[in-house]
Amino acid sequence: MRVYRADALRGQRALVTGGSSGIGAAVCRALAMAGARVVVNYLSNRDEAEQLVKEIQADGGEAMAIQADVSQEADVQRMFRQMIDTWGSIEILVANAGIQRDAAFHHMSLDQWNMVMNVNLTGQFLCAREAVREFNRRGVIPEVSCAAGKIISMSSVHDIIPWAGHVNYAASKGGLLMFMKSLAQEVARHKIRVNAISPGAIRTEINRSAWETPEAEADLLRLIPYERVGDPMDIGHVAVWLASDASDYVTGTTIYADGGMTLYPGFREGG
Ligand code: NAD
């Protein structure tokens, strides 16, 4: 389904963290469809990342895979260096990598807490910092985009909906909300836009248990007024719009792409 101009992002260079699977892969495909060159960042599954690069290339797009752990400063700096050495700069960062390490609170280990914070929050900081440094170095190139750069953080409806049993994850996404807004306020005068997408329930590996059986899916659908589980490309389309000049006056905001999940509770007639 092609729902936007194929040249919306022509000439722009994008990096998508955790780009080889799920939502990240759909974002890579969507950005490439809109004309951007795309770095598919991956943590460990090189085959999956290379396969996606091949698919984008077969579709007429340009992409390359770069390994990096977003929670490691040296890895993140190496990844940005490699991208900038190869393609000259970056206009779009989609900081998508994220993990869950679920546990009842009284059983949650410090490792489970730290891993989620390191990837979901520190990873956002490390990647956004490298992006801002490069956006500031280069400045605005009007033929390419009205903005010097765009950062899109992949958050979650659990940045505002509490999530019992997932305190580490909800805390990381809630923290990301203020990270995104404060950074947006700080860098707006440099013509850098920072926004977030908060997906609801999207059919990917991270939440397989919530949709893989008919019973689980029926339970999930009770929370979604639009009565369907989301597709990764639902998020890809939002990312294209936030990355494009069509959203040039939008910064510091979150788009809830959730089929109405945040309109809780009691949406159904008769309770
Ligand atoms: P996913 O597990 O397919 O994607 C997560 C990606 O992040 C994977 O490719 C993984 O390898 C990568 N990753 C993990 N740790 C990393 C690290 N240290 N460095 C680099 N990459 C790393 O699941 P997804 O659903 O596609 O999740 C993508 C994002 O969307 C996450 O931030 C998640 O919190 C968010 N999200 C997903 C849903 C959903 O319903 N699927 C809902 C809300 C938010």
Side-chain angles (χ1 to χ4, degrees), residues 67-98:
Q67 189 282 332
D69 179 339
V70 298
S71 68
Q72 301 300 313
E73 186 175 33
D75 274 27
V76 170
Q77 291 182 333
R78 171 182 49 75
M79 171 170 68
F80 273 79
R81 235 183 352 261
Q82 191 177 333
M83 177 180 183
I84 293 164
D85 285 350
T86 311
W87 286 345
S89 194
I90 173 173
E91 282 81 22
I92 301 160
L93 166 67
V94 182
N96 164 77

Side-chain angles (χ1 to χ4, degrees), residues 2 6 12 28-40 52-64 87:
R2 202 179 272 286
Q12 302 201 42
C28 289
R29 287 194 178 92
L31 295 177
M33 253 192 265
R37 280 181 271 176
V38 182
V39 167
V40 179
L52 178 58
V53 166
K54 279 194 195 121
E55 286 171 28
I56 290 172
Q57 289 168 341
D59 231 28
E62 214 178 311
M64 66 174 158
W87 286 345

Side-chain angles (χ1 to χ4, degrees), residues 5-270:
R5 290 167 61 100
D7 61 355
L9 302 177
R10 185 182 293 151
Q12 302 201 42
R13 294 151 286 198
L15 188 160
V16 182
T17 67
S20 64
S21 69
I23 290 172
V27 169
C28 289
R29 287 194 178 92
L31 295 177
M33 253 192 265
R37 280 181 271 176
V38 182
V39 167
V40 179
N41 157 252
Y42 66 97
L43 176 62
S44 53
N45 196 335
R46 184 182 178 156
D47 290 347
E48 189 177 59
E50 294 291 357
Q51 180 56 36
L52 178 58
V53 166
K54 279 194 195 121
E55 286 171 28
I56 290 172
Q57 289 168 341
D59 231 28
E62 214 178 311
M64 66 174 158
I66 302 182
Q67 189 282 332
D69 179 339
V70 298
S71 68
Q72 301 300 313
E73 186 175 33
D75 274 27
V76 170
Q77 291 182 333
R78 171 182 49 75
M79 171 170 68
F80 273 79
R81 235 183 352 261
Q82 191 177 333
M83 177 180 183
I84 293 164
D85 285 350
T86 311
W87 286 345
S89 194
I90 173 173
E91 282 81 22
I92 301 160
L93 166 67
V94 182
N96 164 77
I99 58 169
Q100 285 180 218
R101 292 293 181 269
D102 307 329
F105 186 69
H106 57 291
H107 289 311
M108 189 175 285
S109 67
L110 182 58
D111 262 4
Q112 287 171 318
W113 173 266
N114 282 340
M115 282 174 83
V116 169
M117 290 301 155
N118 290 345
V119 177
N120 295 11
L121 209 42
T122 305
Q124 294 272 341
F125 159 66
L126 292 172
C127 293
R129 191 183 58 175
E130 293 313 304
V132 166
R133 285 173 175 168
E134 174 58 16
F135 299 158
N136 282 340
R137 183 198 67 75
R138 177 183 26 75
V140 178
I141 301 176
E143 310 80 72
V144 175
S145 174
C146 310
K150 282 84 53 158
I151 296 173
I152 300 165
S153 292
M154 202 57 70
S155 188
S156 162
V157 290
H158 295 295
D159 62 350
I160 54 165
I161 305 179
W163 206 15
H166 310 256
V167 166
N168 47 0
Y169 183 83
S172 74
K173 298 297 188 180
L176 181 53
L177 179 63
M178 274 301 139
F179 170 83
M180 179 277 292
K181 282 175 179 275
S182 302
L183 179 59
Q185 192 180 47
E186 183 167 332
V187 299
R189 70 196 174 90
H190 299 299
K191 295 285 172 283
I192 298 169
R193 296 193 293 111
V194 187
N195 291 289
I197 303 173
S198 283
I202 311 295
R203 210 179 289 275
T204 71
E205 276 312 308
I206 209 171
N207 61 356
R208 172 174 284 280
S209 61
W211 51 262
E212 76 177 340
T213 66
E215 299 74 34
E217 183 161 346
D219 275 353
L220 184 57
L221 288 177
R222 272 200 286 277
L223 302 172
I224 307 172
Y226 208 60
E227 294 188 334
R228 75 168 170 86
V229 178
D231 183 89
M233 200 42 98
D234 289 320
I235 307 303
H237 296 317
V238 179
V240 168
W241 183 73
L242 279 177
S244 76
D245 283 353
S247 61
D248 190 52
Y249 208 48
V250 178
T251 194
T253 199
T254 300
I255 296 187
Y256 289 88
D258 66 351
M261 195 182 238
T262 38
L263 305 174
Y264 68 100
F267 64 89
R268 201 157 282 175
E269 274 177 54

